[in-house]
Amino acid sequence: VVMGHSVGEYPAACMAGVFNLEEGLKLVAARGRLMQALPQEGEMVAVIASEAQVQAAIARYGAKVAIAVVNGPRNVVISGRRQAVQGVVKMLEAEGIKTHKLTVSHAFHSPLMDPILDPFEQIAATLTYYRPRLRIISNLTGQRVQGDELQTAAYWRSHIRQPVQFAA
């Protein structure tokens, strides 16, 4: 079984045979190029709390903050606009919840990625996809891939925006 965390799912998919190395590199390079063109106005913070606690804390911020990663039962990463993320952190720390700012260039898996979704999906649609030869775990579900979901441009588009379900 292979799996990867966030961008690590690309080499996992390549190893599983979903796409060949050249096309996998094309996709990763396009992802990086598009992301680097985005404004650097975001932030990511690890929160030592349950997903439910974090969901409640970010609710008032709407589309400015999202859950980016669920790493474990009490390890969740939030991502979004810097000012909104800092507001969430202040609120959580006032409740005694520990946080840790991550050193990243952008707010990955957040609404700040939305402007690149269409152009990325167009690039992803040019790849040739294959049924996995190895069992692979999806970041979007945290479950073993059963069908052809990794063989679509829509999957890789969602992969940029949706939370990594690593705990699952």
Side-chain angles (χ1 to χ4, degrees), residues 1-163:
V1 175
V2 293
M3 64 182 293
H5 189 285
S6 189
V7 74
E9 188 167 2
Y10 289 79
C14 185
M15 291 299 300
V18 174
F19 37 71
N20 66 36
L21 179 59
E22 183 178 319
E23 291 202 322
L25 290 172
K26 173 183 172 182
L27 200 56
V28 169
R31 181 183 191 263
R33 185 179 65 256
L34 289 166
M35 286 181 176
Q36 288 304 311
L38 291 170
Q40 294 182 354
E41 57 192 24
E43 192 166 283
M44 296 181 78
V45 173
V47 180
I48 308 305
S50 70
E51 184 178 0
Q53 287 174 293
V54 174
Q55 196 66 45
I58 67 172
R60 67 181 278 207
Y61 290 91
K64 293 181 182 175
V65 180
I67 291 180
V69 183
V70 181
N71 280 321
R74 298 189 50 76
N75 185 331
V76 177
V77 176
I78 60 173
S79 183
R81 295 202 179 276
R82 184 172 292 113
Q83 189 173 16
V85 169
Q86 290 171 355
V88 173
V89 167
K90 284 181 186 175
M91 185 172 54
L92 291 168
E93 288 179 345
E95 295 175 18
I97 296 173
K98 294 184 188 230
T99 65
H100 176 75
K101 181 180 173 186
L102 303 180
T103 304
V104 294
S105 63
H106 291 79
F108 303 111
H109 302 285
S110 83
L112 293 178
M113 297 289 111
D114 290 351
I116 69 167
L117 296 179
D118 288 343
F120 181 79
E121 186 173 13
Q122 290 172 357
I123 294 164
T126 68
L127 269 67
T128 301
Y129 297 94
Y130 304 94
R131 184 164 186 80
R133 293 185 312 268
L134 301 174
R135 289 176 290 181
I136 183 168
I137 306 298
S138 166
N139 274 200
L140 299 183
T141 65
Q143 304 299 313
R144 180 178 166 204
V145 172
Q146 298 293 329
D148 64 354
E149 61 262 34
L150 267 66
Q151 299 169 55
T152 67
Y155 177 87
W156 296 101
R157 172 194 175 108
S158 293
H159 188 273
I160 287 175
R161 178 64 177 81
Q162 298 305 310

